[in-house]
Amino acid sequence: MPITSASIARQLNAPERIITDTFELELGAGHVIAQAEYLFTRIDEKKIDEWRAKFSGAPGEADAKDSKPKKVKKSKKDKANPATSAVSS
């Protein structure tokens, strides 16, 4: 999100920095922060429904799939020899 990081740097009135392994406080006492602005735009309720219909399955479909595990049918061979049912080829 390069645009977001540029916006944060602009709002902090500071140059963009690379995060290092050690904490370094770059803003000193008396540093003046610029005008605050939104980092992201609000998603319109109409767009949520539109995007859900376009990019996902039916509402609740994913929840239904995850909540009920699928049953695996065992073949006659697996029923006869349980040791082989754990190993699939």
Side-chain angles (χ1 to χ4, degrees), residues 59-76:
E61 183 177 308
D63 296 334
K65 287 181 182 177
D66 294 337
S67 64
K68 295 181 182 178
K70 294 181 179 179
K71 292 183 180 179
V72 178
K73 293 184 179 180
K74 291 184 180 182
S75 68
K76 291 180 182 179

Side-chain angles (χ1 to χ4, degrees), residues 40-60:
F40 306 100
T41 58
R42 180 177 287 276
I43 298 174
D44 184 19
E45 291 291 327
K46 295 175 186 175
K47 286 291 184 185
I48 293 173
D49 294 336
E50 177 186 332
W51 291 341
R52 182 174 286 132
K54 185 174 181 178
F55 298 113
S56 69

Side-chain angles (χ1 to χ4, degrees), residues 10-89:
R10 186 175 56 255
Q11 291 178 55
L12 290 174
N13 195 23
E16 291 187 51
R17 305 288 299 189
I18 295 175
I19 298 173
T20 62
D21 290 337
T22 59
F23 177 76
E24 298 174 28
L25 184 59
E26 298 289 328
L27 307 177
H31 180 84
V32 178
I33 304 284
Q35 180 67 35
E37 58 188 67
Y38 291 108
L39 294 176
F40 306 100
T41 58
R42 180 177 287 276
I43 298 174
D44 184 19
E45 291 291 327
K46 295 175 186 175
K47 286 291 184 185
I48 293 173
D49 294 336
E50 177 186 332
W51 291 341
R52 182 174 286 132
K54 185 174 181 178
F55 298 113
S56 69
E61 183 177 308
D63 296 334
K65 287 181 182 177
D66 294 337
S67 64
K68 295 181 182 178
K70 294 181 179 179
K71 292 183 180 179
V72 178
K73 293 184 179 180
K74 291 184 180 182
S75 68
K76 291 180 182 179
K77 178 182 170 184
D78 291 338
K79 288 179 184 177
N81 188 355
T84 60
S85 64
V87 179
S88 61
S89 54

